[in-house]
Amino acid sequence: IGVGLVGFGLFFLLFGILLYFDSVLLAFGNLLFLSGLVFIIGFRRTFTFFFQRPKLKGTSFFFGGLLVVLMRWPILGMLLEAYGFISLFR
């Protein structure tokens, strides 16, 4: 279930970008991706991964970008999420 949710999340993210940053598709893709991640590695490990002390800057940018996408500013939100994603997984 988790791999399917992550796959659909990435598909909706890509499709939302291809359709000129459609905010509904991007938000749906983000939520599917995060829920799939929780299904794959578990809630506790996901929480500890995102909220480690050295990764708080990346986490705040990632979730801030998600919030900005949900508020219908998709380009700025995706830029914030991309920076947060790079900071988290570097």
Side-chain angles (χ1 to χ4, degrees), residues 49-60 87-89:
F49 171 76
F50 278 111
F51 294 104
Q52 292 175 6
R53 184 101 170 130
K55 295 184 179 186
L56 281 177
K57 180 180 173 186
T59 300
S60 62
S87 295
L88 279 171
F89 294 105

Side-chain angles (χ1 to χ4, degrees), residues 4 8-9 14 16-17 20-21 24 27 31-33 43 47-49 51 55 59 67 69-70 73-75 77-78:
F8 277 121
L14 178 67
I17 290 171
Y20 300 112
F21 292 96
V24 174
L31 294 176
L32 283 175
F33 179 77
F43 183 75
F47 185 80
T48 57
F49 171 76
F51 294 104
K55 295 184 179 186
T59 300
L67 185 67
V69 167
L70 289 173
W73 288 68
I75 296 174
M78 288 304 291

Side-chain angles (χ1 to χ4, degrees), residues 9-67:
L10 292 175
F11 170 74
F12 279 112
L13 283 172
L14 178 67
F15 200 57
I17 290 171
L18 289 176
L19 289 176
Y20 300 112
F21 292 96
D22 183 35
S23 60
V24 174
L25 289 174
L26 291 173
F28 193 61
N30 282 325
L31 294 176
L32 283 175
F33 179 77
L34 288 176
S35 63
L37 190 64
V38 169
F39 270 95
I40 290 173
I41 65 174
F43 183 75
R44 181 175 300 244
R45 290 183 70 188
T46 303
F47 185 80
T48 57
F49 171 76
F50 278 111
F51 294 104
Q52 292 175 6
R53 184 101 170 130
K55 295 184 179 186
L56 281 177
K57 180 180 173 186
T59 300
S60 62
F61 272 99
F62 184 77
F63 285 118
L66 177 65
L67 185 67

